[in-house]
Structure formats: C-alpha cells, structure tokens
Amino acid sequence: MSRLHRLSSGRLAGLLATGVVALSALASGQPGHSQPARGQPVPQDTGRVETPASALAFAPFARRAGDRLVIAHYFPSFSVVGGTMGPNGDYYDQQFLKTSGENFKYRAGRGYIRERPMIPAGGVANDDAGWSVDVARAARIGIDAFGIDLLDLDGRHWHSAMGVMQAAERCGCGFKVAPEPDMMTLQTIPADRLVQALLTFAKSPAGLRLGDGRLVVIPFAAEQVAPDYWQAVIAGMAQAGQPIALIPDYVNQRNAAALARLTWAGARWGSRDTGAGHTQNDLATSLRTTTQPRWLATLAPQDMRPKGLTFNEAQGSGALASAFDAAMAGHAQGLHLVTWNDYSEGSELEPSTATHHAYYDLLAWYIAWFKGGRPPAIARDGFVVFQRNQVFNPQDSSRGDPWHNVGAAPLANVVNVVLWLRAPTDVTVAVGGNNRTFHLPAGFQSVNVPAAVGAVSVRLQRGTQVVAQCQSPIAIAATADRHDPLYGGFSSLRGCN
C-alpha cells in the first residue's frame, strides 16, 4: 500500500498559507520542534525500567545477530512529547487528538490520530529527551536501528533526524540509525545533494553499517527515480570514501529487476491486513529471479487513518503474525518494522496510550525468534490481548463520516488473545458476558473470539489453580463519539495494562 501520509510538510504549508497557524507557534508547539538540550542526562535505563525481565514471558534477544538486521521505520513528525507540556497537555492533547484540533482541519475523522506516545514515569523534558527514550525502548527489545524517514534535507524533519542520531550516539547501547530517503518528497533532489545528506550519517558513529563496513541506506519508494539516479548516489558515496549498501523499499516493484544489480537487498512496504504475508512472499519470489535474492520482510501491526477515513483489518496480531510467518518461511535477511511511531497511519509499535505495550511485547518475541532462529524458551506464563474500544461499524453515521476498508481482508471485530504457556492450560475469554473456554497446549498460542459490547476478561487455569487473570482496561462501548478501528491492548505481565 502506498503511503498517503507523505503530507506532513504539505499539511504544515497549507496551514501557514491559510494563516491558521503562525510559524512561531509551529516551531515551539509541535513534536520535533524543541531545541536539543546538549549535555542533559540521557535516560539510558528507560528501556529496562519500563520493561524489566518480569514484564516478558521470555528473554529478549537484545544483541545484534550479524547482518540479520531488525530496523524500525522512524517517522520524525511524532516524537514522544509534542512541544511544551502545559496544564492542558501538549500538542498531541491539545490538537492532534481533538476534533477541533488545528482549526477543525480533521473534522471528518474527528481527530488526526487516536492515541499518542506513552510518556515514561518522571516525564520528558523536551524532544531531545524524548528521542533518547525512543532509542532506549527500541534497544531493549532487540531492534538494531531506526530507519529515519528523511522527508526533507534541511527543514524540521532533518532537525528531528539529527536529534535521533545524536540520541543513538549518546546511548552507549550500540543502537544505530540508517537514512531512509523518502523519494515521494525527495524525487526532485539532485543525486549529489542526497549524497551530501547521506555523508552526515556516514560520519556518525551511530550510522548503521554491514559487517563489510558499508553504510545501510533504505530509500522509501526507490522506484520514484530511475536506476541511473541510484547509480549516481552509489558512485558519489564511493568517491567520498563511504560505500553504501542500498536496500530499496518498494511501494511498487516495477523496477526491482533493474535495481537488483545495485542493491544489497530489497524490501516492500506491503499491505497491513491479515494477508500481509502474501505481499512479502511476492517480493521474495520476485527477487529470487534477479541477481540479488536477499530481502527484508516488512512487519506492520495495523493501519487506520482518520485523516483519510481508511482502515485495514488486522484482527489484532493477525497482520503482524502473517508477515512474520512469511519472513521465516522465506528466509528473510532482516525485518523492517513499519512503523515505530507513525501515528497518522495507526501503525505505531512504540508503547502508546491505547495499544500500551501489547504490540511492543509481541514484537520482542518475534525479534528474539528471528535473531535466534527458533522460538525463545518461555520463562513464565502470560498473555497480551488486542481489542477495539467499540464494535466497529464503518457505516455508522452517528460516529461520523463513513470509513473505507482499503485492504483485502474483510472487517472482523475480534478480541485476539496471544499467550505464552509453560504447560497445557484452560483459557477462558469472557466478552460482553459470553464465556468461551479453550484447552490449549503449552507454547506460543493465539485465539480469537467475536467482539461484543461490554467488559473483556481472560483467565488462565490449570486444574483448580488460576495461573493468571485480567479484566481489560478497555471496555467495548455501546455508543461512541467517533469511529475508532484501532486495536488497543494490554498485558497480564504488566498489571493488566
């Protein structure tokens, strides 16, 4: 699916052109605009404080596994804190989450986004500290690098990219960054200008490199420019003494064969529903017919966009599981996690206010499995649950304008329970007063039950012993003031939050 949100710069330009927001307000208020505070203490232990060993049912695989890379796409518009945090919150609270935000710009979707980044205990002073939190959280579960979406090469997005890179440099945890030039917005930039931007990453000790020393470069929508353009970029970087490993991230694979001779591997942005694995299989199959068969599998949790009134049906963890299965079956060289923090697409994996740590914890499992080559040992019983806060009906006019399913999978309102079990267990899932019990073997398991209005709870039992139980912090409401197809979540190992 193409990324239709490549409009952040255009969105800001439109606001300025209409006089809705003053430039000074943007510079001080929106995420990514506070000035980095040099030398301030870096919360390097944030990842371990938020995610102690007891929060996961297994041990995360936090170290790098050679060139089996795990890279999370980082969208610079959404840092942990949105500008200044005041008594009424920050820019997320005051604008992005409200129907009235940005002068009712997203009235049709009744808000720009449906959740925001989770602020760690103790708060976040500014964007600089927020970028350090992002790095610490990602490193904790074995992500090797952020692939930073370069929407511009000298504006506010570039400023944010440099802030993230500096946070990785300060971390001391081996975390890296890779440039992801966004060719939807940079397609008119001369190749030599892009080379100069890439050299900034090459000069940083946090630049992601392969074992052979080449800098990893992952252009999004690489097919937007001709193969000769990438030949010029590769030559320019080599001439500067900084050879690169090009990993084009295709929206459309039409130039994959032509680019193969120039690349180290390929990736495809792909679909976001329960058939996501089919898209990834198609990429792997097509690259096997070229001179470059390596590929990175794209994993995304879900996709829902209030700004466009569109959604894909993920069935909780279903989209993520489908793509991961394809990665393992197709012997992917790496994982491209899409995305760490693009809240405008609802594809965020970062700990957030509705999804909490549910996708984050599940992702830690998949990363450990991918890097270790086998499922990790289960150290303790636990589960995560994915559910909506409503029985989503995209045509319900009481909740606003109709939404559209842009994926191949049909709408399915489910409560999805993902479990780590050390022994056979009876699992009872109660939804809206209806109970269903599953008799599950030991291991990694997943079950779905139909969503219904009311409370959601899960109980694990072996004989007379209750092993774990939770009532969801998310009730499924009978009425709602807006459409919300986002799957939220919680974990039994995090106090049912």
Side-chain angles (χ1 to χ4, degrees):
M1 176 180 294
S2 65
R3 289 189 83 184
L4 302 179
H5 80 283
R6 296 278 155 234
L7 302 175
S8 291
S9 298
R11 171 171 61 83
L12 295 175
L15 289 170
L16 292 171
T18 57
V20 171
V21 180
L23 182 59
S24 60
L26 289 175
S28 63
Q30 287 198 334
H33 280 285
S34 65
Q35 294 299 314
R38 303 291 181 183
Q40 84 170 36
V42 177
Q44 295 183 20
D45 62 346
T46 298
R48 293 190 178 276
V49 169
E50 287 189 343
T51 305
S54 60
L56 298 174
F58 51 91
F61 197 118
R63 64 188 182 276
R64 184 165 167 176
D67 284 343
R68 286 175 67 81
L69 301 174
V70 179
I71 303 168
H73 181 89
Y74 191 97
F75 194 60
S77 290
F78 297 109
S79 50
V80 172
V81 65
T84 302
M85 181 67 74
N88 297 317
D90 60 2
Y91 204 87
Y92 288 105
D93 303 312
Q94 297 170 27
Q95 302 294 336
F96 285 159
L97 289 162
K98 289 187 173 182
T99 300
S100 60
E102 297 191 336
N103 201 32
F104 291 94
K105 185 172 181 67
Y106 298 99
R107 185 200 308 265
R110 301 194 179 182
Y112 183 43
I113 60 178
R114 290 294 185 261
E115 65 172 345
R116 59 159 300 147
M118 186 180 292
I119 297 177
V124 175
N126 57 17
D127 285 327
D128 192 53
W131 291 319
S132 293
V133 168
D134 279 329
V135 167
R137 284 172 168 170
R140 173 60 176 142
I141 61 170
I143 296 173
D144 298 308
F146 284 145
I148 305 177
D149 192 342
L150 300 182
L151 290 155
D152 60 43
L153 301 181
D154 54 12
R156 76 182 188 94
H157 299 294
W158 178 259
H159 166 82
S160 296
M162 296 300 97
V164 177
M165 184 171 72
Q166 291 157 11
E169 291 171 353
R170 293 191 301 267
C171 179
C173 58
F175 194 80
K176 304 297 182 181
V177 294
E180 294 196 9
D182 193 319
M183 304 315 294
M184 289 291 193
T185 61
L186 301 181
Q187 57 186 283
T188 61
I189 297 292
D192 58 352
R193 175 68 183 91
L194 181 57
V195 166
Q196 293 305 308
L198 297 180
L199 286 173
T200 303
F201 286 85
K203 294 172 183 176
S204 170
L208 177 64
R209 296 179 181 274
L210 297 181
D212 62 13
R214 284 183 291 168
L215 180 74
V216 173
V217 178
I218 311 171
F220 170 75
E223 71 275 11
Q224 291 295 312
V225 296
D228 288 350
Y229 181 94
W230 296 116
Q231 180 69 70
V233 170
I234 292 168
M237 291 295 288
Q239 187 175 6
Q242 297 289 350
I244 65 172
L246 192 70
I247 306 176
D249 185 8
Y250 302 107
V251 175
N252 187 311
Q253 296 172 221
R254 62 178 179 268
N255 282 344
L259 274 176
R261 63 186 177 84
L262 304 175
T263 67
W264 180 77
R268 183 176 175 186
W269 196 249
S271 58
R272 301 283 178 273
D273 59 23
T274 52
H278 298 306
T279 306
Q280 300 307 310
N281 285 330
D282 288 347
L283 172 69
T285 299
S286 67
L287 289 181
R288 289 190 193 104
T289 66
T290 72
T291 58
Q292 202 310 97
R294 292 191 201 91
W295 68 293
L296 271 61
T298 296
L299 273 63
Q302 58 186 326
D303 189 306
M304 49 74 60
R305 310 183 187 189
K307 63 185 178 184
L309 306 178
T310 63
F311 73 98
N312 289 254
E313 182 52 68
Q315 291 194 28
S317 66
L320 205 58
S322 175
F324 181 75
D325 288 347
M328 297 305 291
H331 306 288
Q333 184 70 36
L335 303 179
H336 191 213
L337 311 176
V338 177
T339 64
W340 177 255
N341 64 336
D342 192 344
Y343 289 85
S344 72
E345 293 189 351
S347 59
E348 57 273 5
L349 290 158
E350 175 181 19
S352 303
T353 52
T355 55
H356 296 101
H357 286 82
Y359 283 115
Y360 176 87
D361 292 350
L362 178 57
L363 186 62
W365 168 261
Y366 284 139
I367 291 172
W369 185 343
F370 176 76
K371 286 186 171 183
R374 65 184 65 183
I378 296 175
R380 57 190 62 83
D381 296 294
F383 59 85
V384 293
V385 175
F386 301 95
Q387 62 169 104
R388 292 177 170 134
N389 63 17
Q390 59 188 247
V391 177
F392 178 56
N393 176 359
Q395 304 304 313
D396 184 350
S397 60
S398 71
R399 301 179 184 183
D401 292 350
W403 283 50
H404 307 284
N405 185 348
V406 294
L411 171 67
N413 284 292
V414 300
V415 174
N416 170 226
V417 186
V418 177
L419 308 104
W420 293 269
L421 302 175
R422 300 190 67 198
T425 306
D426 293 335
V427 178
T428 300
V429 183
V431 180
N434 298 314
N435 292 2
R436 183 169 178 185
T437 298
F438 301 86
H439 307 286
L440 299 179
F444 178 61
Q445 309 292 343
S446 178
V447 297
N448 287 349
V449 299
V453 172
V456 174
S457 64
V458 179
R459 184 178 72 250
L460 310 188
Q461 191 164 341
R462 297 191 186 114
T464 59
Q465 180 187 8
V466 175
V467 177
Q469 62 181 347
C470 283
Q471 179 162 317
S472 172
I474 307 168
I476 301 177
T479 60
D481 65 351
R482 65 189 67 192
H483 290 294
D484 189 359
L486 182 81
Y487 278 95
F490 68 93
S491 167
S492 69
L493 294 173
R494 294 182 181 271
C496 302
N497 287 302

